[in-house]
Amino acid sequence: MADKAAPDSTRRSERSRRAIFDAALALVGEVGYDKLTIEGIASRAGVGKQTIYRWWPSKAAVLLDAFTAGVDDYSAQGLPDTGDLAADLKSVLRATVDEFNDPAFQAPYRALAAAGANDEELSRTFVARLMEPGIRVYTDRLRAAQETGEVADGVDVRIATEMMLSPFSQRWLMRTGELTYGFVDTLVDQALHGLRPRG
Amino acid sequence: MADKAAPDSTRRSERSRRAIFDAALALVGEVGYDKLTIEGIASRAGVGKQTIYRWWPSKAAVLLDAFTAGVDDYSAQGLPDTGDLAADLKSVLRATVDEFNDPAFQAPYRALAAAGANDEELSRTFVARLMEPGIRVYTDRLRAAQETGEVADGVDVRIATEMMLSPFSQRWLMRTGELTYGFVDTLVDQALHGLRPRG
């Protein structure tokens, strides 16, 4: 009996976790971070709020785990390495364009970013848990490109990553421009080749 | 008599405008955008709230004018053009590092950026009135550099500007890194020379 009970309970827990994550992401997109409550998440997920409090101390903790569940897969994979740095960067950034232009993805991420602009602790956690792992897959790929000679030795790979990712993030967050394949392709080409004439 | 009254009244108006701008910038930094009120600004500035309502329809309008009063001077000047693009970009970005590391400047700007992340209309006005003029002085300078051959013909100067300004803005807004002279110098060098080895 004990052998059977454990996997059932694990499956049930996993289903509840998934339902709580989905509810938290949907709700924060609808009502914003300030009005998000544990009660609201519990009700939407169809679980008791004690279930949530047993696993997480706060709504911020639930949300960060909900976002991180997606990011972890991505970080574990890393960026493709076909030996063609420009092509690899463009293919990942184009996929990110599709993701950020999806309204279902937009709303919760924007709510969290907005809350972070006012709340320094939330922002630091958000950056450490969500942004830094995303940045690291780029710096890893650029470092690999340094080894094969596609990127010059002296390049600061962290700042190089910011030159490609920050314009993307800012267009999205501040709505300063469209996120298109053409935009990210130009970003990659200009970052790799530089603004000065070559030759 | 009429000849004397007009300049006095203009001077008085100008003093009131200045007091209202200073009060709005100080208050939004202290209490945040959501809790900022016309009453609060009037009281801090030592004017009646009708004085404010006579000139501006909303707190957002007061704030934007208060910020823009500073930005207009900067935009009118443009970037220096000594004929050395790298040196010109670094000198302006280093001055901007000093400005953004100044707590008196920080607080109101951050409050407005945070409010804009939640409020699309405010964000669009904020971008059009404050960010776009700042971006334009860079695109103008890069276009001038294209004419002298310091920047390659095919370069998209808008995206080139974002490659230098967005990493700066994001480090500041999301607190993802320090704003230092070394950071902006590397940003300029990597943008101009590109990540690929030269030669």
mmCIF file of all heavy atoms in Angstrom, chain B residues 161-188:
data_model
loop_
_atom_site.group_PDB
_atom_site.id
_atom_site.type_symbol
_atom_site.label_atom_id
_atom_site.label_comp_id
_atom_site.label_asym_id
_atom_site.label_seq_id
_atom_site.Cartn_x
_atom_site.Cartn_y
_atom_site.Cartn_z
ATOM 1 N N THR B 161 22.313 52.957 -31.698
ATOM 2 C CA THR B 161 22.112 53.758 -30.484
ATOM 3 C C THR B 161 21.561 52.897 -29.355
ATOM 4 O O THR B 161 22.028 52.970 -28.212
ATOM 5 C CB THR B 161 21.153 54.926 -30.782
ATOM 6 O OG1 THR B 161 21.727 55.751 -31.800
ATOM 7 C CG2 THR B 161 20.883 55.759 -29.537
ATOM 8 N N GLU B 162 20.594 52.057 -29.688
ATOM 9 C CA GLU B 162 20.023 51.173 -28.660
ATOM 10 C C GLU B 162 21.081 50.218 -28.095
ATOM 11 O O GLU B 162 21.031 49.863 -26.920
ATOM 12 C CB GLU B 162 18.842 50.380 -29.237
ATOM 13 C CG GLU B 162 17.646 51.269 -29.561
ATOM 14 C CD GLU B 162 16.480 50.499 -30.179
ATOM 15 O OE1 GLU B 162 16.105 49.449 -29.634
ATOM 16 O OE2 GLU B 162 15.934 50.950 -31.209
ATOM 17 N N MET B 163 22.041 49.795 -28.926
ATOM 18 C CA MET B 163 23.100 48.893 -28.442
ATOM 19 C C MET B 163 23.951 49.562 -27.368
ATOM 20 O O MET B 163 24.559 48.885 -26.536
ATOM 21 C CB MET B 163 23.996 48.454 -29.604
ATOM 22 C CG MET B 163 23.351 47.423 -30.517
ATOM 23 S SD MET B 163 24.219 47.272 -32.125
ATOM 24 C CE MET B 163 25.879 46.873 -31.582
ATOM 25 N N MET B 164 24.007 50.901 -27.401
ATOM 26 C CA MET B 164 24.794 51.594 -26.370
ATOM 27 C C MET B 164 23.921 52.094 -25.216
ATOM 28 O O MET B 164 24.305 52.006 -24.058
ATOM 29 C CB MET B 164 25.590 52.732 -26.994
ATOM 30 C CG MET B 164 26.712 52.203 -27.889
ATOM 31 S SD MET B 164 27.719 53.498 -28.667
ATOM 32 C CE MET B 164 26.651 53.972 -30.026
ATOM 33 N N LEU B 165 22.721 52.603 -25.512
ATOM 34 C CA LEU B 165 21.903 53.192 -24.446
ATOM 35 C C LEU B 165 21.085 52.173 -23.658
ATOM 36 O O LEU B 165 20.879 52.334 -22.455
ATOM 37 C CB LEU B 165 20.965 54.258 -25.031
ATOM 38 C CG LEU B 165 21.634 55.497 -25.633
ATOM 39 C CD1 LEU B 165 20.586 56.559 -25.951
ATOM 40 C CD2 LEU B 165 22.688 56.074 -24.697
ATOM 41 N N SER B 166 20.594 51.116 -24.333
ATOM 42 C CA SER B 166 19.728 50.164 -23.619
ATOM 43 C C SER B 166 20.466 49.391 -22.528
ATOM 44 O O SER B 166 19.909 49.206 -21.438
ATOM 45 C CB SER B 166 19.055 49.205 -24.602
ATOM 46 O OG SER B 166 18.207 49.909 -25.482
ATOM 47 N N PRO B 167 21.692 48.917 -22.768
ATOM 48 C CA PRO B 167 22.398 48.254 -21.667
ATOM 49 C C PRO B 167 22.575 49.191 -20.466
ATOM 50 O O PRO B 167 22.460 48.772 -19.315
ATOM 51 C CB PRO B 167 23.763 47.895 -22.276
ATOM 52 C CG PRO B 167 23.493 47.759 -23.738
ATOM 53 C CD PRO B 167 22.460 48.826 -24.031
ATOM 54 N N PHE B 168 22.813 50.457 -20.758
ATOM 55 C CA PHE B 168 22.933 51.463 -19.696
ATOM 56 C C PHE B 168 21.610 51.583 -18.932
ATOM 57 O O PHE B 168 21.568 51.458 -17.705
ATOM 58 C CB PHE B 168 23.312 52.808 -20.338
ATOM 59 C CG PHE B 168 23.620 53.892 -19.362
ATOM 60 C CD1 PHE B 168 24.930 54.313 -19.162
ATOM 61 C CD2 PHE B 168 22.615 54.497 -18.635
ATOM 62 C CE1 PHE B 168 25.222 55.315 -18.247
ATOM 63 C CE2 PHE B 168 22.902 55.495 -17.718
ATOM 64 C CZ PHE B 168 24.200 55.908 -17.531
ATOM 65 N N SER B 169 20.521 51.801 -19.652
ATOM 66 C CA SER B 169 19.209 51.965 -19.004
ATOM 67 C C SER B 169 18.825 50.736 -18.207
ATOM 68 O O SER B 169 18.280 50.844 -17.113
ATOM 69 C CB SER B 169 18.111 52.183 -20.052
ATOM 70 O OG SER B 169 18.412 53.274 -20.862
ATOM 71 N N GLN B 170 19.095 49.553 -18.784
ATOM 72 C CA GLN B 170 18.663 48.345 -18.088
ATOM 73 C C GLN B 170 19.470 48.107 -16.808
ATOM 74 O O GLN B 170 18.893 47.726 -15.789
ATOM 75 C CB GLN B 170 18.759 47.131 -19.000
ATOM 76 C CG GLN B 170 18.115 45.918 -18.340
ATOM 77 C CD GLN B 170 17.910 44.771 -19.284
ATOM 78 O OE1 GLN B 170 18.762 44.471 -20.111
ATOM 79 N NE2 GLN B 170 16.772 44.116 -19.168
ATOM 80 N N ARG B 171 20.777 48.338 -16.860
ATOM 81 C CA ARG B 171 21.568 48.202 -15.619
ATOM 82 C C ARG B 171 21.003 49.113 -14.544
ATOM 83 O O ARG B 171 20.945 48.749 -13.379
ATOM 84 C CB ARG B 171 23.038 48.577 -15.864
ATOM 85 C CG ARG B 171 23.824 47.474 -16.474
ATOM 86 C CD ARG B 171 25.316 47.736 -16.346
ATOM 87 N NE ARG B 171 26.027 46.584 -16.889
ATOM 88 C CZ ARG B 171 27.279 46.267 -16.588
ATOM 89 N NH1 ARG B 171 27.979 47.031 -15.769
ATOM 90 N NH2 ARG B 171 27.843 45.192 -17.098
ATOM 91 N N TRP B 172 20.621 50.310 -14.963
ATOM 92 C CA TRP B 172 20.094 51.265 -13.991
ATOM 93 C C TRP B 172 18.711 50.840 -13.481
ATOM 94 O O TRP B 172 18.493 50.713 -12.279
ATOM 95 C CB TRP B 172 20.019 52.659 -14.624
ATOM 96 C CG TRP B 172 19.397 53.651 -13.703
ATOM 97 C CD1 TRP B 172 19.948 54.198 -12.573
ATOM 98 C CD2 TRP B 172 18.084 54.179 -13.793
ATOM 99 N NE1 TRP B 172 19.058 55.038 -11.973
ATOM 100 C CE2 TRP B 172 17.908 55.050 -12.695
ATOM 101 C CE3 TRP B 172 17.035 54.018 -14.701
ATOM 102 C CZ2 TRP B 172 16.714 55.741 -12.483
ATOM 103 C CZ3 TRP B 172 15.852 54.716 -14.486
ATOM 104 C CH2 TRP B 172 15.705 55.568 -13.386
ATOM 105 N N LEU B 173 17.798 50.568 -14.405
ATOM 106 C CA LEU B 173 16.414 50.304 -14.000
ATOM 107 C C LEU B 173 16.275 48.985 -13.247
ATOM 108 O O LEU B 173 15.590 48.916 -12.233
ATOM 109 C CB LEU B 173 15.495 50.296 -15.230
ATOM 110 C CG LEU B 173 14.005 50.183 -14.924
ATOM 111 C CD1 LEU B 173 13.494 51.401 -14.165
ATOM 112 C CD2 LEU B 173 13.193 49.981 -16.201
ATOM 113 N N MET B 174 16.926 47.923 -13.754
ATOM 114 C CA MET B 174 16.773 46.605 -13.140
ATOM 115 C C MET B 174 17.891 46.320 -12.139
ATOM 116 O O MET B 174 17.905 45.245 -11.551
ATOM 117 C CB MET B 174 16.781 45.510 -14.214
ATOM 118 C CG MET B 174 15.833 45.742 -15.375
ATOM 119 S SD MET B 174 14.095 45.618 -14.892
ATOM 120 C CE MET B 174 13.945 43.840 -14.651
ATOM 121 N N ARG B 175 18.786 47.252 -11.958
ATOM 122 C CA ARG B 175 19.929 47.079 -11.046
ATOM 123 C C ARG B 175 20.702 45.798 -11.376
ATOM 124 O O ARG B 175 21.051 45.019 -10.493
ATOM 125 C CB ARG B 175 19.444 47.029 -9.588
ATOM 126 C CG ARG B 175 18.610 48.238 -9.152
ATOM 127 C CD ARG B 175 18.217 48.104 -7.695
ATOM 128 N NE ARG B 175 17.320 49.151 -7.241
ATOM 129 C CZ ARG B 175 16.001 49.169 -7.423
ATOM 130 N NH1 ARG B 175 15.426 48.174 -8.083
ATOM 131 N NH2 ARG B 175 15.260 50.155 -6.980
ATOM 132 N N THR B 176 20.949 45.565 -12.670
ATOM 133 C CA THR B 176 21.662 44.345 -13.083
ATOM 134 C C THR B 176 23.170 44.542 -13.133
ATOM 135 O O THR B 176 23.895 43.605 -13.438
ATOM 136 C CB THR B 176 21.199 43.883 -14.481
ATOM 137 O OG1 THR B 176 21.100 45.029 -15.331
ATOM 138 C CG2 THR B 176 19.848 43.219 -14.412
ATOM 139 N N GLY B 177 23.626 45.762 -12.871
ATOM 140 C CA GLY B 177 25.063 45.970 -12.866
ATOM 141 C C GLY B 177 25.380 47.411 -12.519
ATOM 142 O O GLY B 177 24.499 48.272 -12.514
ATOM 143 N N GLU B 178 26.660 47.655 -12.228
ATOM 144 C CA GLU B 178 27.094 49.001 -11.861
ATOM 145 C C GLU B 178 27.200 49.875 -13.105
ATOM 146 O O GLU B 178 27.513 49.390 -14.191
ATOM 147 C CB GLU B 178 28.476 48.932 -11.205
ATOM 148 C CG GLU B 178 28.512 48.187 -9.891
ATOM 149 C CD GLU B 178 27.702 48.887 -8.805
ATOM 150 O OE1 GLU B 178 27.939 50.089 -8.577
ATOM 151 O OE2 GLU B 178 26.833 48.228 -8.186
ATOM 152 N N LEU B 179 26.953 51.172 -12.929
ATOM 153 C CA LEU B 179 27.201 52.146 -13.986
ATOM 154 C C LEU B 179 28.536 52.819 -13.686
ATOM 155 O O LEU B 179 28.634 53.619 -12.751
ATOM 156 C CB LEU B 179 26.083 53.186 -14.034
ATOM 157 C CG LEU B 179 24.693 52.645 -14.363
ATOM 158 C CD1 LEU B 179 23.665 53.767 -14.314
ATOM 159 C CD2 LEU B 179 24.675 51.971 -15.721
ATOM 160 N N THR B 180 29.537 52.461 -14.456
ATOM 161 C CA THR B 180 30.884 53.004 -14.232
ATOM 162 C C THR B 180 31.439 53.525 -15.556
ATOM 163 O O THR B 180 30.923 53.196 -16.634
ATOM 164 C CB THR B 180 31.843 51.906 -13.725
ATOM 165 O OG1 THR B 180 31.960 50.910 -14.752
ATOM 166 C CG2 THR B 180 31.324 51.251 -12.458
ATOM 167 N N TYR B 181 32.522 54.309 -15.461
ATOM 168 C CA TYR B 181 33.193 54.773 -16.672
ATOM 169 C C TYR B 181 33.715 53.581 -17.483
ATOM 170 O O TYR B 181 33.658 53.571 -18.710
ATOM 171 C CB TYR B 181 34.362 55.699 -16.319
ATOM 172 C CG TYR B 181 33.964 57.057 -15.767
ATOM 173 C CD1 TYR B 181 34.931 57.943 -15.295
ATOM 174 C CD2 TYR B 181 32.630 57.472 -15.741
ATOM 175 C CE1 TYR B 181 34.589 59.198 -14.800
ATOM 176 C CE2 TYR B 181 32.281 58.728 -15.239
ATOM 177 C CZ TYR B 181 33.263 59.581 -14.769
ATOM 178 O OH TYR B 181 32.927 60.814 -14.278
ATOM 179 N N GLY B 182 34.242 52.578 -16.790
ATOM 180 C CA GLY B 182 34.771 51.401 -17.479
ATOM 181 C C GLY B 182 33.692 50.688 -18.289
ATOM 182 O O GLY B 182 33.938 50.235 -19.416
ATOM 183 N N PHE B 183 32.507 50.591 -17.711
ATOM 184 C CA PHE B 183 31.387 49.952 -18.408
ATOM 185 C C PHE B 183 31.047 50.691 -19.696
ATOM 186 O O PHE B 183 30.966 50.090 -20.776
ATOM 187 C CB PHE B 183 30.176 49.887 -17.471
ATOM 188 C CG PHE B 183 28.872 49.555 -18.148
ATOM 189 C CD1 PHE B 183 28.686 48.338 -18.793
ATOM 190 C CD2 PHE B 183 27.821 50.465 -18.138
ATOM 191 C CE1 PHE B 183 27.474 48.029 -19.421
ATOM 192 C CE2 PHE B 183 26.617 50.174 -18.752
ATOM 193 C CZ PHE B 183 26.448 48.953 -19.394
ATOM 194 N N VAL B 184 30.872 52.018 -19.629
ATOM 195 C CA VAL B 184 30.469 52.736 -20.843
ATOM 196 C C VAL B 184 31.609 52.797 -21.865
ATOM 197 O O VAL B 184 31.360 52.742 -23.073
ATOM 198 C CB VAL B 184 29.887 54.150 -20.553
ATOM 199 C CG1 VAL B 184 28.581 54.022 -19.761
ATOM 200 C CG2 VAL B 184 30.865 55.068 -19.836
ATOM 201 N N ASP B 185 32.846 52.851 -21.407
ATOM 202 C CA ASP B 185 33.966 52.832 -22.355
ATOM 203 C C ASP B 185 33.983 51.522 -23.147
ATOM 204 O O ASP B 185 34.159 51.516 -24.370
ATOM 205 C CB ASP B 185 35.308 52.996 -21.618
ATOM 206 C CG ASP B 185 35.527 54.420 -21.097
ATOM 207 O OD1 ASP B 185 34.687 55.305 -21.388
ATOM 208 O OD2 ASP B 185 36.541 54.647 -20.396
ATOM 209 N N THR B 186 33.808 50.401 -22.432
ATOM 210 C CA THR B 186 33.804 49.089 -23.103
ATOM 211 C C THR B 186 32.620 48.971 -24.063
ATOM 212 O O THR B 186 32.736 48.424 -25.163
ATOM 213 C CB THR B 186 33.744 47.956 -22.051
ATOM 214 O OG1 THR B 186 34.862 48.096 -21.176
ATOM 215 C CG2 THR B 186 33.774 46.592 -22.696
ATOM 216 N N LEU B 187 31.478 49.482 -23.616
ATOM 217 C CA LEU B 187 30.273 49.473 -24.445
ATOM 218 C C LEU B 187 30.544 50.180 -25.778
ATOM 219 O O LEU B 187 30.231 49.670 -26.855
ATOM 220 C CB LEU B 187 29.182 50.209 -23.657
ATOM 221 C CG LEU B 187 27.716 49.901 -23.832
ATOM 222 C CD1 LEU B 187 27.443 48.410 -23.810
ATOM 223 C CD2 LEU B 187 26.926 50.591 -22.709
ATOM 224 N N VAL B 188 31.135 51.353 -25.708
ATOM 225 C CA VAL B 188 31.418 52.130 -26.921
ATOM 226 C C VAL B 188 32.444 51.388 -27.792
ATOM 227 O O VAL B 188 32.245 51.224 -29.001
ATOM 228 C CB VAL B 188 31.932 53.540 -26.562
ATOM 229 C CG1 VAL B 188 32.481 54.246 -27.810
ATOM 230 C CG2 VAL B 188 30.817 54.365 -25.923
#
